[in-house]
Amino acid sequence: MKFNTKTIHGGQKQDPAYGSVMPPIYQTSTYAQSTPGGHKGYEYSRTHNPTRNALENALASIENGKYGLAFGSGLAAIDAVLKLLEPGDEVVSTNDLYGGTYRLFTKIYERFGIKFHFVGMRNATNIEEFITPDTKLIWVETPTNPMMNIIDIVETSKIAKRHKILLAVDNTFATPYLQQPLDLGADIVMHSVTKYLGGHSDLVMGALVVKDKELADRLFFIQNASGAVCGPQDSFLALRGIKTLHIRMQRHCENGKAVAEYLASHPKIENVYWPGFKNHPNYEIAKSQMNDFGGMVSFTTKGNNYEDAIRIVENLRVFTLAESLGGVESLAGHPASMTHASIPKKEREKTGVVDSLIRLSVGIEDEDDLIADLKQAIG
Ligand SMILES: *Cc1c(COP(=O)(O)O)cnc(C)c1O
């Protein structure tokens, strides 16, 4: 089955009760038993729920995995991966990382004796020097947020396999429409379903997909034992979102390209970060591991003035000034005062998050309206 069919049918079957095409929302915590242990496969909804299972099967299918696990948020999914580790274990992670992931690693898991190395992975061979006998996990985000760096998943997976280390890829920005990390050698794919998979800014959810049965069993144990699951209503919404993932992503990519090219031609714009430009440092890797370049675009203004950036984001009318990304509507964010405000200026500037940086999640509205909006806002 090809991807555009999988988003609609992958892992799905009609409901056995009445043949409903969409799975019912099984809004129940528990299931009747005829005799102790005599049930129909479901005992308690933290462990299993038919609507969540339908979503998990769809997730496994679109990521070319075998097992999907859905969680109450993206961070809950990452948290489950970290619970595979033990005190004394080490993790090598991308350095320009989603802020919440960085906070989970450093503020929670460092306290439990796990050591993290944050490494610039633009050149995958950089990873090798941080690997010790205690390294158990490599954590990769690509494209990165908000600088749109690209990390070579195939090269990273070769390093991971050589040292027998798990490789997890946060595939939130790319989605399986653009990039399928399990096929490129990753062991675990992670999603903030909140973003493109849900696609409509109406839920918070996370997911993991794996191929290996033993790894899946360990993660299922953690999912049930720690209990950070999502509810049936949100599972239904996420499934509905996934059914249009391919057409939404196609438009996100078209609009993202148009916006990136417009900004690059604007006399007041200094840098535009988008992996589809030939002068992007890892353009060739992006081209080889992604099917297209996505709808996330960041840029800075000439003079790198904080006030200019604030004025632009305040002037936008079609783009909404808001955190998050990946919904049908276009959003704009100012990392220095929003998502990255808690990081000292010197630290954030090291990874490129300067005062005038603006990040756009380009939605699926009409391209002309988006460009006209940027034009009037930049002035
Ligand atoms: C939003 C996001 C997360 C966290 O997901 P939540 O659903 O907000 O918990 C993790 N990684 C990336 C790249 C994200 O954009």
Side-chain angles (χ1 to χ4, degrees):
M1 211 187 267
K2 293 201 171 177
F3 185 79
N4 294 351
T5 310
K6 277 187 177 181
T7 57
I8 296 163
H9 299 292
Q12 301 305 297
K13 48 182 189 291
Q14 286 170 5
D15 185 65
Y18 299 108
S20 70
V21 167
M22 280 301 281
I25 302 168
Y26 283 95
Q27 193 76 43
T28 186
S29 59
T30 191
Y31 307 81
Q33 307 192 7
S34 55
T35 179
H39 55 74
K40 297 176 176 165
Y42 292 90
E43 290 167 277
Y44 187 61
S45 280
R46 170 164 31 74
T47 317
H48 293 294
N49 173 282
T51 318
R52 193 177 89 221
N53 287 160
L55 168 66
E56 291 174 330
N57 292 339
L59 290 164
S61 170
I62 59 174
E63 280 290 2
N64 290 343
K66 283 210 180 117
Y67 307 95
L69 300 96
F71 294 85
S73 70
L75 283 170
I78 302 172
D79 184 76
V81 174
L82 291 174
K83 285 179 174 142
L84 295 167
L85 307 179
E86 288 175 17
D89 286 349
E90 298 189 11
V91 178
V92 179
S93 163
T94 309
N95 68 343
D96 85 85
L97 197 61
Y98 175 73
T101 310
Y102 180 80
R103 183 176 57 197
L104 179 66
F105 287 1
T106 57
K107 296 283 199 280
I108 308 266
Y109 279 96
E110 270 181 4
R111 288 199 288 117
F112 288 90
I114 292 166
K115 190 169 172 189
F116 295 88
H117 301 274
F118 296 98
V119 179
M121 295 184 174
R122 191 182 281 179
N123 185 343
T125 53
N126 289 350
I127 296 167
E128 202 112 31
E129 69 182 272
F130 294 90
I131 291 177
T132 76
D134 293 323
T135 309
K136 297 288 158 58
L137 175 69
I138 300 177
W139 187 269
V140 164
E141 203 180 297
T142 180
T144 66
N145 174 30
M147 297 311 297
M148 308 305 294
N149 285 312
I150 299 292
I151 296 164
D152 191 329
I153 299 173
V154 171
E155 279 310 309
T156 308
S157 82
K158 284 183 191 157
I159 296 167
K161 286 195 168 57
R162 197 152 59 235
H163 296 275
K164 299 194 167 51
I165 302 169
L166 284 177
L167 170 62
V169 175
D170 181 337
N171 205 28
T172 300
F173 267 39
T175 83
Y177 175 82
L178 295 179
Q179 160 177 297
Q180 293 170 326
L182 295 178
D183 287 350
L184 301 171
D187 301 292
I188 302 173
V189 173
M190 175 262 151
H191 275 282
S192 170
V193 179
T194 315
K195 315 295 169 50
Y196 286 107
L197 296 191
H200 296 76
S201 307
D202 53 7
L203 58 88
V204 172
M205 189 188 289
L208 301 175
V209 180
V210 302
K211 274 186 172 159
D212 180 71
K213 169 90 169 68
E214 196 226 315
L215 182 58
D217 285 345
R218 289 170 67 202
L219 289 166
F220 278 128
F221 178 84
I222 292 166
Q223 182 192 38
N224 181 49
S226 288
V229 294
C230 51
Q233 184 93 34
D234 282 354
S235 299
F236 177 88
L237 283 174
L239 252 179
R240 172 155 127 161
I242 287 170
K243 286 179 191 282
T244 55
L245 177 66
H246 52 304
I247 48 174
R248 284 187 286 109
M249 286 308 294
Q250 186 183 349
R251 182 66 73 85
H252 281 297
C253 290
E254 287 165 13
N255 285 355
K257 180 175 195 284
V259 163
E261 285 172 353
Y262 170 73
L263 291 169
S265 72
H266 197 292
K268 289 188 183 167
I269 300 305
E270 179 78 43
N271 295 307
V272 183
Y273 302 98
W274 178 67
F277 285 130
K278 288 208 171 65
N279 64 359
H280 182 286
N282 275 348
Y283 170 75
E284 290 301 330
I285 296 167
K287 223 173 65 169
S288 73
Q289 72 186 14
M290 298 169 75
N291 297 321
D292 203 337
F293 303 107
M296 298 301 299
V297 181
S298 297
F299 65 98
T300 59
T301 54
K302 288 209 169 113
N304 189 31
N305 195 314
Y306 189 93
E307 287 70 31
D308 284 347
I310 299 292
R311 182 182 51 76
I312 292 169
V313 293
E314 284 178 354
N315 283 348
L316 287 166
R317 295 287 170 266
V318 181
F319 283 82
T320 301
L321 176 60
E323 305 216 351
S324 199
L325 62 111
V328 290
E329 60 284 300
S330 292
L331 302 180
H334 181 242
S337 66
M338 295 166 72
T339 46
H340 292 61
S342 60
I343 305 172
K345 184 172 153 91
K346 258 205 177 131
E347 279 302 307
R348 65 173 159 80
E349 290 196 338
K350 270 190 213 160
T351 55
V353 183
V354 297
D355 280 351
S356 75
L357 187 78
I358 292 172
R359 189 195 75 178
L360 302 177
S361 171
V362 182
I364 64 171
E365 300 95 336
D366 193 284
E367 172 189 315
D368 294 344
D369 289 328
L370 297 178
I371 305 258
D373 192 33
L374 288 165
K375 188 172 182 189
Q376 65 79 22
I378 297 166

